[in-house]
Amino acid sequence: MSAVAHIKDYKTGKFYRDEFRGDISWNGYEHNNLLRNEGPAADGTLQFTDVAMATGSDEIRDSRGLATADFDNDGDLDIVLNNNPGDSGRAEQARATLLRNNVGERRNWLAIELTGTKSNVDAVGALVTVDYGGERSVRLVGAGSGFASQHSSRLYFGLGDKTYVDGVTVRWPNGSVERFDKDQNQPIATRQLIQITEGRGIQVLRLPARNKKTAGSNVVAERGGKRFGGFRVRPRRSVL
Amino acid sequence: MSKRQKRVILYSSPLVVLLLIIGFGKLKLDQIESNAQQLAQMGQAAQKTLGEFRTGVEKFDVEKVLSCYDDQYASDREGFSEEQLQSERDGVRVYRWQPTREKPTSKPDIAAEIGRYLKTMSTVEEAKLKLDSVERIDGAEHAVIRSFLWLRGTRDANGVATRNDRARGEGKEAFETQVLFRMWLRADGNAWKIRRQEMIRGTTVTGDRRGFTDLWGRSNFYASEADGAASSAGIDFASRFNPNFLTSAWKPKTFEIIKYGPAGVSAMDYDDDGWYDVFFADGERPRLYRNRGDGTFTDATLDVGLPETMPGVNVGIFADFDNDGYKDAFFGCFTDSSRLFRNVAASPEQAARRKFVEVTDTSGIVKKGDGDFVVVASAADYDNDGDLDLYTGRYLDPRRHLPTTLFYTRNGEGNSLLRNDGNFHFTDVTREAGIDETGLTLGVAWGDYDSDNDLDMYVANDFGRDSLLRNNGNGTFSDVSKESNAFDPGYGMSSTWGDIDNDGDLDIYVSDVHSGQRWYGQAATLYKYLLTSVRQGTIFEDLPVYKEIYDHVGADWSTYGDKTVKGNALYLNDGNGKFTDVSEATNTNPYGWYWSSTMFDYDNDGRQDIYAANGWITSKSTQDL
């Protein structure tokens, strides 16, 4: 078909009708991408590699919404996708996709949940910075982003092979800052969940572990975390 | 100055600009016609050549591939290159393509190279060779294009497979190759032949495809093997069309394609048991699946008091609007009212068991006309008063409107900022906040990009253009898209904030469309569009749009068309409130038609990666428009 004809017909809306397309796809049969951040090249430019096929995350359905969360509490973020039925008439195109992450759990991580007291309880808008071994990572708490999507509000920090973090800084939505530094006797260890309550310090929790007993039943599991005896990290510098 | 005089000036200024562009931009009207014609014909002919090339590769047919090359082929550098291993981790090997040696190359050399290259592959599962862009057209005979080769299949694990290896079908690994070429083409009768070529950049990735497991067919999240379940660990959701779009009252004749839009998904822990649950919105029957903590999910929609159907709901946002420690729910709806639900204890005895109770009627949230046209939403405390407010993004009314133009559209139903007054009541403060966002919104995200302790907003709009709204800290917002250099004229489909370069400030990733027609979105086409709209008289209704483009980019529109179709954008924050789109340099604008995308560190190496959902309409035929 002549592309030039589209211009003339644009205002008729012909372009957007099913009859115009017929049985032909329109950017259908395309795979999702996973662009792995390889860090900066020698000239400082960030480098990315599409590893979707190589990691098996190259969903071919017409995905729309996308959410990441640690559904199995193993320390890495899994993916769930909502896919549009499309126009192929094949029922399997419409099913949602749940992708289990088998990679992240191999490295160390720290999960952080925030609870606001002066700020909103969900701490939406808070920025958390984790310093570890000379590296720094920042995560933002959100409640709605992407296309019609919402991700885990529990934040995950990948730490590679580091076994503890040097400091955690929270910038609450209203701008007040709390910093928690590593204590030589009580370093903030990795592979755990910590909960920071605005103005009230850190509490160490475990990620709830798989409850095999409830399999097949509807029992509501109790929150698995508890305060560890004697562990306390006080805010070092608080401008609350 | 009278209102009328103001209007005359408003409408005449862009007309003057257009006249300058069209009349004095060294382009005569007939030239505009012929340039556009030439580009279209040349591009289509080039696509035909690339199609032959692709078929040749798919069929391991050296002769067919070779037929795409000019007999006079001559290049200083080899067109094909050697793969060099860059990294190997997590079962993934990454090779960069490097020119092997610089030496003059002729057609027999190319034949040998292609023969060698095809032998490295055991099977080709999928192959594409796309026309990326037309860099130059020199008369009727010569042109320079960029083409993109995308191949996936299997090959010998060492990269060199013999015929015997292939016969045995052993020692294979999956590979995917993506290479960008520059090709000098020469017209040869009806066809274009490759006269010279150069590799711009190329990557081959191989892997065990086990980094992620698609859990379909497994009854448990932890299952190591498929057991034939008709779900993914209990998630058996299948999305449907909004039934309203198929009824006579709502059937959108004008913008029929809207029906392929939905829908969203949310991950949240609604019952605060430490296990993340999932909510799916589609056009008809949204579902909430509770994570039971034993590796399975169960459909809890009715258990938690949500309706069996909610036609038109496109997005669910779970946020604690009353600060009681449990997430309430806002459901954005297209063809009916949006809805608000409060999260309460299921009974006094069972505080840990939660249910949702609808509070829409007393919430002050009212629909816009006979529908609400809401597609996306995001909660945040924009006024720092300690409770979560809401921003809702709307599309256009598909029964009445088409996107104004293909490259800048402002005839959406208008977004809303809803201020939380407490007690589940919201007030629409859009006007007071100075927000006039009428793009066809598909992405909204809050983030404090300028570190001034209030949340700003990035709005991704379909059919161009996106907006960065700076929070002024006094309840008002300013559109700073232009001065911050975050002005994106692409087909915005999704927006997200995150620190992708670990420098402490928030960067932006936006999904756009990088379609197979990028080559066509060039100045010649844009000028032709403008000329056509002058001839059709539609220019007058579109003048406000053209004025806005002029306000943003000035009178030079030569690269504007390309920017609308160049695909996803990664805007790096320089820490001083300015952004740079580095998507081309960082290879983060892949080919495709993108929807939701996000930054997340899937491999826990400390650097945020990007996952981007791709695909528009899969139909019966694999042939693409």
Side-chain angles (χ1 to χ4, degrees), chain B residues 161-390:
Chain B
T162 64
R163 201 176 292 271
N164 286 337
D165 289 334
R166 254 180 270 171
R168 281 202 307 275
E170 281 172 5
K172 299 290 176 280
E173 65 181 1
F175 78 92
E176 183 178 83
T177 289
Q178 303 188 32
V179 193
L180 188 63
F181 291 109
R182 179 171 287 113
M183 291 174 168
W184 285 257
L185 302 182
R186 192 178 72 85
D188 179 18
N190 288 328
W192 290 81
K193 304 276 186 192
I194 304 162
R195 209 165 168 275
R196 187 183 151 197
Q197 87 183 25
E198 190 177 281
M199 191 265 304
I200 298 172
R201 62 162 189 256
T203 308
T204 295
V205 176
T206 67
D208 57 14
R209 294 177 146 169
R210 287 186 195 142
F212 287 85
T213 303
D214 182 343
L215 292 171
W216 184 256
R218 298 173 194 228
S219 52
N220 195 289
F221 203 95
Y222 302 91
S224 54
E225 298 294 332
D227 52 26
S231 74
S232 303
I235 292 179
D236 55 358
F237 183 78
S239 72
R240 308 176 180 201
F241 292 120
N242 180 345
N244 287 304
F245 288 151
L246 312 172
T247 64
S248 53
W250 260 93
K251 192 170 182 178
K253 289 213 170 58
T254 309
F255 195 65
E256 186 182 354
I257 210 158
I258 189 84
K259 71 182 175 195
Y260 299 105
V265 61
S266 309
M268 44 55 220
D269 183 7
Y270 81 92
D271 52 359
D272 201 36
D273 67 351
W275 294 94
Y276 265 78
D277 313 296
V278 191
F279 173 81
F280 294 94
D282 68 352
E284 183 175 17
R285 202 170 160 269
R287 280 290 167 280
L288 189 147
Y289 288 86
R290 189 169 76 80
N291 187 339
R292 299 204 291 194
D294 60 359
T296 66
F297 291 83
T298 184
D299 181 347
T301 315
L302 301 179
D303 283 349
V304 300
L306 293 178
E308 168 64 18
T309 63
M310 286 196 281
V313 164
N314 197 75
V315 58
I317 296 298
F318 292 80
D320 186 1
F321 292 116
D322 60 348
N323 286 327
D324 71 345
Y326 289 95
K327 287 180 168 56
D328 312 295
F330 170 81
F331 300 115
C333 188
F334 199 94
T335 47
D336 204 338
S337 300
S338 295
R339 301 167 80 159
L340 188 68
F341 286 77
R342 179 178 185 175
N343 187 329
V344 299
S347 68
E349 299 81 44
Q350 289 180 296
R353 243 189 137 94
R354 310 303 296 180
K355 68 174 182 183
F356 292 94
V357 176
E358 181 153 23
V359 291
T360 311
D361 287 348
T362 52
S363 68
I365 297 172
V366 289
K367 62 182 173 182
K368 205 146 185 161
D370 55 350
D372 204 18
F373 311 99
V374 171
V375 178
V376 292
S378 185
D381 182 13
Y382 84 97
D383 53 1
N384 279 331
D385 67 350
D387 58 30
L388 288 171
D389 313 291
L390 258 176

Side-chain angles (χ1 to χ4, degrees), chain B residues 79-132:
Chain B
F80 290 96
S81 312
E82 224 168 48
E83 293 175 351
Q84 285 181 4
L85 185 65
Q86 290 285 303
S87 69
E88 181 172 3
R89 62 188 169 108
D90 303 332
V92 176
R93 278 200 289 275
V94 178
Y95 302 85
R96 300 271 177 232
W97 283 41
Q98 305 285 353
T100 41
R101 56 195 179 279
E102 298 203 357
K103 65 160 188 127
T105 309
S106 61
K107 192 167 179 178
D109 300 324
I110 282 289
E113 284 282 358
I114 291 168
R116 262 200 301 277
Y117 180 66
L118 291 181
K119 281 198 185 103
T120 64
M121 298 183 283
S122 311
T123 59
V124 173
E125 290 172 7
E126 292 175 64
K128 288 176 188 172
L129 185 56
K130 287 180 180 267
L131 175 59
D132 172 70

Side-chain angles (χ1 to χ4, degrees), chain B residues 42 80 336 560 568:
Chain B
M42 194 267 133
F80 290 96
D336 204 338
Y560 186 82
N568 299 358

